[in-house]
Amino acid sequence: MLSFATEFPVHHEHRGPAFSAVLRKWLLGSPHTVLRSSDLAGFASEGEWEATKGTERLETLTHADGEDQSVGLRYTRTDASLEWVTTVVFSRTSASTWVGIRVSCESTHPAVRLPPAKKPVLVRTILSELQGGRDGALVVQNAPYHLGNVDVELAANLIRGTAGCRLPIVYVSAGFLGRYLVDGVKLASDLSGMAHVVVEPNRPFSLRLRLEVASENVYGGTVGIYWPDGSGRRSFFLGHEYASEGALQQAIIEEVRSALVNRRPLNRCTWFGVRQSVSAAPSPRCAPRGRRRSIGLQMSSTRSWMRSRSNSMPQNEKSLVSKLRCESSRRVSHWGWVTLTTGSEQDLFPGEIAGIVRDALSDSTTRVPADSRRAHVLSAIVSATPVTSEADRIRDELKSLLRGSSTLDAKLRRGLERLGFSINEDGKHIKIVFQGDDRYTFALPKSGSDRRGGLNAATDIGRLLF
C-alpha cells in the first residue's frame, strides 16, 4: 500500500552525480541496512544496475543527455513480515530540477498490521544536502514563510492557486487576540518537502486579504490547506475537534500526507518516466546497456517473483494512480452536510456566524407546524450544531469591565484590547472599534458622572454585537 508520496524542486545547480552521492550517503547511513560501501560498486551507473544482499534489493536507472538528466532508485527491504519499497527519482531539465519520493509497505502475512505512515528521513536528507528549489512564488524550505503587511497580493495568489506552486499551501491565520493555534516553525519542519507553511502577520492583514479573495481566506486562527489546482481546502479547528495543539498539528500533517498519496504524480518524477528515458536512449555499440550484479545468495523463486513484480510495476502504478484519482475526486462530495456561503462576512470571534445561524434556526423551529418535515430538519440541524459560548463570554466580560467605570484607566484599556477592541482617544469621546471593523464603532465618554453609564454602554454594545 502506498503510504507516502511527494515531489518537490531542489536547487537547479545540482546534477545527477550529486544526487547519487546523496542516495549513497542515505543508504549507508541507515541503521536498518546490511549494505557496505563495497556493495555499491557501480551504483547508479549509466543505464540499469541492480544488486541484492540478504533481504535488500537495489535497482537504479540513470540517463543523461546534455541538460536532461534522470536518476531513479528503487530500494526494497523485507523486515519481518513487512516489505518496504522506496522509489526515489531525480529529474533535471534545462528549466528545473525535481525529486519524487514514493514509499509503499506491504504485509506478507494477513495478521500483521501495517505501521503508521510517516515522512521518511530521506526527504530531510535531500533538502539538507541539495537545498530546496523554487516552486512558483515560493522556495521549498524547512521554515515557515512569515508574510509582511505588504504581502497581501502574494497571499491572495497563494490562496487563489495562481502563484505557480505545485506544493500545497498550509495557511496559518492570526487569531483574534494575535495568537496562533499551531507552532509555525515546528509545522513547517514536519511538512518540509510536502507543503509550504505560510503565516500571516496579524488580524488587520486578514481583513484586507478578505477583500482580495472574496472571503475565501481562513481567518481568526484557523489553518487552511489550499491546493494549486483549485480542488478546495479543508480547515482545521482546535476547538471541539482537537484536544491539544499537538493533535491539531498532527491532523494537518495527516491531511496533507493523505492528499499527496492520492495525487497524480508528475511523470518525470516516476520510475516509469525514468525507464522511458533510459529505453529511448541509444546504446553505445559494443557496450552493454547496463550492469547487473548480485551479492550473496538468493532463492531463485524469490528472485523471479521480485523480477516479475518489478517488470509489472509501471502498469500497476498507472492503475493505482487512476484508482486513487477517482477516489480523490469523490472527496469533494459531502453527504449529510450543509455548506453555507457567508458572502462578505467573516467571524469576528471563533464560532460567531455558526452561533448566529444556530440561534436563527432554533428560533425558526417555533414558527413552523409541529411534527412537520421542516420542524424535523431544523431540529436535527440545531441538535447537531455545537453550542458556542464565546459570545456570552465576551458580553459578560465587557459588562464586568465597564460596570462602574468612569475613566479609561490602564486596566480597562488592557481588558478592551484583550476582547478585540481597538481604542482611539482623539476627539471629545473615546471611540472603540471591534475587531477592526468600522461598522462596529462605539463611543465612550472620557469622563462620566453617571456610575451606571458604563454598564449601560456595555448593554448597548452587547445588544448590537452579540
Side-chain angles (χ1 to χ4, degrees):
M1 183 180 80
L2 187 65
S3 62
F4 181 85
T6 191
E7 298 145 14
F8 55 89
V10 295
H11 202 287
H12 192 49
E13 68 178 9
H14 298 293
R15 294 178 178 269
F19 180 72
S20 299
V22 173
L23 292 180
R24 285 177 61 96
K25 180 179 180 180
W26 167 67
L27 286 167
L28 297 177
S30 172
H32 307 291
T33 187
V34 296
L35 296 170
R36 297 294 180 264
S37 181
S38 59
D39 300 327
L40 301 184
F43 176 78
S45 56
E46 182 71 15
E48 300 182 39
W49 177 89
E50 70 175 44
T52 304
K53 185 175 183 180
T55 60
E56 298 176 72
R57 174 184 172 88
L58 291 176
E59 299 172 83
T60 65
L61 297 172
T62 306
H63 169 71
D65 181 13
E67 288 295 312
D68 294 344
Q69 299 185 0
S70 300
V71 178
L73 166 70
R74 176 170 286 159
Y75 173 49
T76 305
R77 178 173 59 86
T78 303
D79 181 11
S81 298
L82 298 175
E83 183 194 61
W84 296 87
V85 180
T86 302
T87 304
V88 194
V89 171
F90 171 89
S91 173
R92 185 184 192 277
T93 66
S94 59
S96 62
T97 305
W98 281 74
V99 172
I101 302 176
R102 300 173 75 80
V103 180
S104 64
C105 181
E106 300 287 347
S107 171
T108 59
H109 192 281
V112 176
R113 290 187 177 182
L114 298 180
K118 59 182 181 180
K119 184 174 78 171
V121 175
L122 180 58
V123 177
R124 296 181 186 274
T125 303
I126 292 175
L127 286 176
S128 174
E129 297 290 332
L130 304 182
Q131 298 83 43
R134 177 159 292 280
D135 179 32
L138 303 178
V139 174
V140 175
Q141 59 184 29
N142 63 355
Y145 279 86
H146 289 280
L147 298 171
N149 287 322
V150 298
D151 293 329
V152 174
E153 183 178 358
L154 171 60
N157 288 334
L158 294 173
I159 287 172
R160 288 192 295 249
T162 57
C165 301
R166 176 167 173 81
L167 272 66
I169 307 299
V170 178
Y171 191 91
V172 181
S173 66
F176 292 102
L177 302 180
R179 296 190 292 268
Y180 300 94
L181 292 183
V182 294
D183 181 345
V185 173
K186 187 176 188 309
L187 183 61
S189 177
D190 291 340
L191 286 175
S192 59
M194 300 168 62
H196 301 290
V197 175
V198 179
V199 182
E200 72 177 14
N202 47 54
R203 175 66 179 152
F205 181 94
S206 179
L207 296 174
R208 290 175 15 230
L209 179 60
R210 177 187 66 181
L211 302 177
E212 297 292 329
V213 297
S215 298
E216 286 298 316
N217 58 310
V218 290
Y219 53 90
T222 303
V223 179
I225 303 176
Y226 294 88
W227 292 89
D229 53 11
S231 58
R233 75 161 197 261
R234 178 179 176 187
S235 299
F236 299 84
F237 301 89
L238 184 61
H240 301 285
E241 297 185 37
Y242 304 101
S244 65
E245 178 182 331
L248 170 63
Q249 182 158 307
Q250 189 56 45
I252 297 170
I253 295 171
E254 177 56 25
E255 174 68 12
V256 173
R257 185 205 65 81
S258 177
L260 289 176
V261 166
N262 285 287
R263 191 183 197 187
R264 184 186 183 92
L266 293 171
N267 183 66
R268 61 182 286 193
C269 291
T270 64
W271 180 263
F272 181 65
V274 182
R275 181 175 289 281
Q276 283 181 315
S277 299
V278 171
S279 300
S283 299
R285 196 172 183 182
C286 301
R289 184 161 169 258
R291 293 194 294 173
R292 298 180 181 269
R293 178 185 178 204
S294 297
I295 305 171
L297 298 175
Q298 183 110 359
M299 293 180 62
S300 59
S301 59
T302 304
R303 187 179 182 88
S304 299
W305 174 82
M306 294 184 73
R307 190 181 299 275
S308 64
R309 187 180 188 279
S310 174
N311 293 336
S312 64
M313 187 63 74
Q315 182 60 40
N316 289 345
E317 283 185 356
K318 289 189 289 184
S319 299
L320 178 62
V321 167
S322 177
K323 177 183 177 182
L324 292 177
R325 196 177 187 187
C326 293
E327 292 177 354
S328 178
S329 66
R330 289 198 293 268
R331 291 164 63 91
V332 301
S333 299
H334 300 285
W335 297 99
W337 289 87
V338 175
T339 301
L340 296 178
T341 301
T342 60
S344 61
E345 294 298 331
Q346 290 184 325
D347 284 337
L348 294 181
F349 52 84
E352 180 206 20
I353 294 178
I356 292 173
V357 172
R358 186 187 189 281
D359 290 345
L361 293 178
S362 179
D363 181 64
S364 296
T365 60
T366 64
R367 305 173 186 273
V368 296
D371 207 29
S372 65
R373 175 59 177 165
R374 290 193 173 216
H376 294 158
V377 171
L378 291 173
S379 297
I381 295 175
V382 170
S383 299
T385 304
V387 178
T388 58
S389 58
E390 188 67 9
D392 293 336
R393 184 192 68 79
I394 298 176
R395 183 194 297 110
D396 293 344
E397 189 168 346
L398 182 64
K399 287 183 179 180
S400 177
L401 284 170
L402 294 179
R403 181 181 286 111
S405 65
S406 57
T407 58
L408 181 66
D409 56 18
K411 179 181 178 182
L412 178 57
R413 176 184 291 276
R414 287 195 302 270
L416 289 173
E417 290 176 345
R418 186 175 63 253
L419 292 179
F421 289 94
S422 56
I423 301 171
N424 185 350
E425 296 187 65
D426 296 338
K428 296 181 180 180
H429 298 282
I430 299 170
K431 293 182 180 180
I432 61 173
V433 181
F434 189 58
Q435 296 296 353
D437 194 325
D438 291 336
R439 294 177 298 174
Y440 308 114
T441 302
F442 307 95
L444 298 176
K446 287 189 174 180
S447 58
S449 57
D450 184 359
R451 300 294 294 178
R452 291 187 53 83
L455 183 59
N456 291 337
T459 301
D460 292 340
I461 294 172
R463 178 174 53 82
L464 294 174
L465 284 181
F466 313 114

